[in-house]
Amino acid sequence: TTPRTLEVDSRFRNLQRGIFTRGNFDVNIHDCDQFRDIDGEAISINSMNYDRSITIINNLQFQRNNIGIRVSGGRLNSVTISNNHFDNSGFVETSNGAFHNTAITVQKWSSHLGIPVTGVAEIFNNGILNHRNGIHAINIENVRIGGYDGSTSRPNIISYNLSNSALSETFHGIWIQNCNKADILANDIENDDPTTETNLRGIVVDNSDNANIGCNTIGQMGRAMQFE
């Protein structure tokens, strides 16, 4: 089936959802002026079982959104999320689901569909401030978070202004689940002040074999890394 092409460059604010796609689309969302005050997802891409190209780049104003970018589907062989900027300072919680207050989440429905993964999901050069979950991925083999282009680093910079606050929920800078052979390289995760709060965590790796984690800077977090 021939894919349809979706290319978006617009402004979105005061909405339940900004952009939603489901099905056979090649997606290119770039240089949007703003995604602001969105109660659901600013961008929600459901590629179903189509092997399509998804590119979300150069969107510089995600502000006070429950979820910035959600990408889901059964294949997810070519995903690039880069050079987007998220700031949830002043965000008022409207949901308590598993992924509320999340900048980026990439979710493959299953890691055992019998479909070979030929491409790669890459998340790099994003700036994220004051989100409960910075970057999340589940069931994405070979996902690349941060990393290098030759000798040039491509960090995701994830920041919190939480001081030494007590937290009733878990905060993750980077959180992967069932992502074998993941690369998590050259990212920067920082809180503004030292804290003993163990619910503030830099990198969390759940049930993910052969992960390659290195050259990350993690500062003033309750737990720098957690493996389960």
Side-chain angles (χ1 to χ4, degrees):
T1 304
T2 302
R4 292 167 286 178
T5 299
L6 174 68
E7 183 167 349
V8 177
D9 172 5
S10 295
R11 175 181 297 177
F12 303 85
R13 62 188 179 190
N14 299 314
L15 302 166
Q16 174 60 34
R17 180 177 280 166
I19 298 171
F20 172 73
T21 73
R22 179 169 53 216
N24 191 15
F25 288 92
D26 283 325
V27 175
N28 184 8
I29 300 173
H30 63 91
D31 299 289
C32 290
D33 184 59
Q34 63 183 233
F35 293 89
R36 184 179 296 171
D37 297 306
I38 297 176
D39 290 337
E41 300 96 351
I43 298 172
S44 181
I45 308 299
N46 179 353
S47 66
M48 301 181 74
N49 276 327
Y50 294 102
D51 183 7
R52 300 272 64 91
S53 172
I54 299 168
T55 302
I56 305 173
I57 60 172
N58 299 330
N59 302 290
L60 302 183
Q61 286 195 56
F62 287 85
Q63 294 179 310
R64 299 182 300 273
N65 302 311
N66 185 36
I67 296 177
I69 297 170
R70 183 202 297 267
V71 175
S72 62
R75 300 182 72 135
L76 298 184
N77 282 349
S78 179
V79 177
T80 301
I81 301 173
S82 175
N83 199 34
N84 304 288
H85 292 266
F86 306 81
D87 183 353
N88 254 19
S89 302
F91 174 67
V92 177
E93 294 277 4
T94 57
S95 170
N96 59 3
F99 296 102
H100 66 284
N101 196 353
T102 299
I104 299 168
T105 179
V106 182
Q107 305 175 4
K108 189 178 174 187
W109 295 335
S110 171
S111 60
H112 303 289
L113 291 179
I115 301 172
V117 175
T118 58
V120 67
E122 295 186 291
I123 305 168
F124 60 92
N125 279 347
N126 298 285
I128 299 171
L129 175 63
N130 288 334
H131 285 71
R132 190 176 73 89
N133 298 310
I135 296 170
H136 169 262
I138 185 168
N139 296 329
I140 312 292
E141 186 172 306
N142 296 312
V143 64
R144 299 176 184 172
I145 301 174
Y148 294 88
D149 182 3
S151 61
T152 302
S153 63
R154 307 187 301 177
N156 297 289
I157 299 175
I158 303 171
S159 305
Y160 294 95
N161 294 330
L162 294 173
S163 299
N164 192 23
S165 303
L167 301 175
S168 60
E169 298 180 291
T170 304
F171 285 59
H172 311 87
I174 296 171
W175 178 21
I176 64 170
Q177 299 176 286
N178 199 29
C179 293
N180 294 341
K181 302 178 185 177
D183 283 346
I184 304 176
L185 303 172
N187 299 284
D188 190 322
I189 306 171
E190 299 272 352
N191 187 35
D192 56 348
D193 285 316
T195 181
T196 58
E197 175 53 76
T198 57
N199 274 336
L200 182 57
R201 302 171 185 177
I203 296 173
V204 176
V205 177
D206 292 343
N207 194 33
S208 301
D209 294 335
N210 299 312
N212 179 24
I213 302 172
C215 301
N216 300 285
T217 300
I218 304 173
Q220 308 192 131
M221 309 288 284
R223 290 181 183 170
M225 295 186 186
Q226 177 173 306
F227 300 88
E228 292 184 337

